[in-house]
């Protein structure tokens, strides 16, 4: 396992950090040691104060998607996991419903995103239904190629990453604790808030780490559902790689990695996951 970790994680990460200090021109990449790439990432940020520079606006846009998708997947994922763990009595039915949740993952991520276009497009099913009902006079333009479309697709794609760890934590809860809370006079909300949620914190934390790390680096969903009009850090890195600006892309990747690791560290400060597990 240590060898696999070294080959597939440590070495690529070390190569990315190394390349981030190389020089590049329009025609070549030269091994060197320079911090110019990191300076180029934040070029103009001090000059534009008090306004935010492009880099900070891009990171804020990425963070916005991360927080909204995290909150939505947490609510939906916890609800689904809670239903499966406490309201489905037989293991067979739990397995069947869990498999149903995984069905979207049997198809390509691109197909799952494209499937929203006939629904959200200007002449899509949603607009046509609203026009038929008389709820609107003209088709809604903001359903597709917008922040709403990006968030909707991400929630659709990544909710399962929240369901699985939360479901695992909920299944480990001793049902006698819930019965004890009820016998002590706790309401359903009090049982949820003071018994179930604290015991489900490891699953919530693991699911949050999965969702946040994936969303922060996502560029494919933003490119397709945003119509190539919405900026994100992952999209910037992809564009720089297309123009063969590998050192600059590597510098952006390192900065993004540090930002994501900072968020993960903050989450780990909330729960001692090794102790809880």
């Amino acid at each position: 396992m240590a060898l696999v970790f070294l080959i597939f994680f440590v070495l690529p990460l070390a190569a990315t950090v190394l390349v981030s200090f190389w020089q590049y021109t329009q025609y070549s990449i030269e091994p060197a040691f320079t911090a110019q790439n990191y300076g180029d990432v934040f070029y103009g940020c001090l000059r534009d104060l008090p306004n935010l520079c492009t880099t900070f606006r891009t990171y804020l846009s990425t963070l916005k998607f991360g927080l909204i998708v995290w909150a939505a997947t947490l609510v939906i994922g916890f609800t689904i996991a809670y239903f499966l763990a406490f309201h489905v009595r037989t293991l067979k039915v739990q397995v069947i419903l869990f498999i149903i949740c995984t069905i979207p993952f049997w198809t390509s991520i691109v197909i799952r995103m494209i499937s929203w276009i006939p629904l959200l497009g200007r002449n899509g099913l949603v607009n046509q239904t609203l026009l038929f009902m008389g709820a609107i006079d003209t088709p809604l333009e903001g359903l597709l190629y917008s922040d709403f479309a990006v968030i909707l697709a991400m929630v659709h794609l990544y909710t399962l990453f929240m369901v699985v760890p939360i479901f695992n934590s909920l299944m480990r809860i001793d049902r006698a604790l819930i019965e004890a809370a009820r016998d002590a006079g706790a309401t359903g909300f009090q049982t949820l808030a003071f018994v179930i949620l604290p015991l489900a914190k490891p699953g919530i934390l693991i699911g949050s780490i999965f969702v946040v790390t994936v969303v922060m680096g996502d560029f494919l969903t933003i490119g397709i559902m945003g119509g190539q009009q919405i900026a994100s850090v992952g999209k910037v890195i992809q564009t720089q790689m297309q123009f063969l600006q590998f050192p600059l892309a590597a510098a952006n990747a390192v900065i993004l990695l540090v930002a994501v690791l900072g968020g993960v560290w903050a989450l780990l400060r909330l729960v001692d996951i090794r102790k809880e597990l």
Side-chain angles (χ1 to χ4, degrees):
M1 290 301 296
L3 182 61
V4 171
F5 183 77
L6 175 66
I7 294 175
F8 292 101
F9 181 77
V10 176
L11 292 181
L13 180 59
T16 301
V17 175
L18 179 63
V19 172
S20 71
F21 290 99
W22 287 8
Q23 294 177 339
Y24 72 97
T25 65
Q26 294 180 345
Y27 310 101
S28 64
I29 299 175
E30 303 173 2
F33 186 84
T34 176
Q36 181 63 37
N37 297 316
Y38 291 92
D40 291 341
V41 171
F42 295 102
Y43 175 77
C45 289
L46 294 178
R47 180 193 61 194
D48 294 340
L49 291 176
N51 298 320
L52 294 177
C53 65
T54 301
T55 298
F56 285 153
R57 289 201 302 268
T58 303
Y59 270 87
L60 286 177
S61 175
T62 306
L63 181 62
K64 174 190 70 177
F65 287 126
L67 290 177
I68 294 176
V69 174
W70 167 78
T73 55
L74 177 59
V75 173
I76 298 173
F78 185 87
T79 303
I80 294 173
Y82 183 89
F83 174 78
L84 291 175
F86 293 108
H87 291 278
V88 179
R89 300 300 181 183
T90 63
L91 179 61
K92 181 179 179 180
V93 178
Q94 284 181 337
V95 171
I96 292 174
L97 293 178
F98 207 89
I99 291 176
I100 292 175
C101 291
T102 65
I103 286 177
F105 280 76
W106 299 359
T107 59
S108 166
I109 185 174
V110 177
I111 294 176
R112 279 181 280 161
M113 283 186 290
I114 293 177
S115 66
W116 284 105
I117 295 178
L119 295 176
L120 303 179
R122 179 178 176 83
N123 296 316
L125 181 62
V126 174
N127 270 321
Q128 293 301 314
T129 301
L130 293 176
L131 287 171
F132 177 78
M133 295 172 58
I136 57 176
D137 296 325
T138 58
L140 300 176
E141 300 288 349
L143 294 181
L144 190 61
Y145 304 139
S146 62
D147 289 359
F148 169 78
V150 171
I151 293 170
L152 181 63
M154 285 184 172
V155 171
H156 172 216
L157 293 173
Y158 304 134
T159 296
L160 189 64
F161 289 106
M162 193 71 79
V163 173
V164 174
I166 295 178
F167 175 75
N168 181 61
S169 291
L170 293 179
M171 289 299 293
R172 295 160 60 105
I173 295 177
D174 187 351
R175 299 310 192 259
L177 297 175
I178 299 176
E179 292 297 331
R182 291 172 179 169
D183 292 342
T187 63
F189 176 78
Q190 289 174 327
T191 303
L192 175 66
F194 299 108
V195 178
I196 297 176
L197 280 178
L199 294 175
K201 284 193 298 184
I204 294 174
L205 176 62
I206 294 173
S208 298
I209 292 174
F210 282 158
V211 171
V212 170
T213 53
V214 173
V215 171
M216 291 293 286
D218 190 306
F219 64 91
L220 188 60
T221 307
I222 291 178
I224 294 177
M225 301 304 295
Q228 309 297 335
Q229 303 174 31
I230 299 176
S232 72
V233 181
K235 190 65 181 173
V236 170
I237 295 173
Q238 182 206 22
T239 302
Q240 291 168 344
M241 292 183 66
Q242 288 178 339
F243 285 96
L244 304 182
Q245 298 174 344
F246 294 114
L248 186 58
N252 257 310
V254 171
I255 295 172
L256 177 61
L257 176 63
V258 172
V260 172
L261 289 178
V264 172
W265 176 83
L267 290 173
L268 292 175
R269 296 287 294 179
L270 299 176
V271 180
D272 186 349
I273 190 170
R274 298 179 66 179
K275 179 181 178 181
E276 295 289 343
L277 294 177

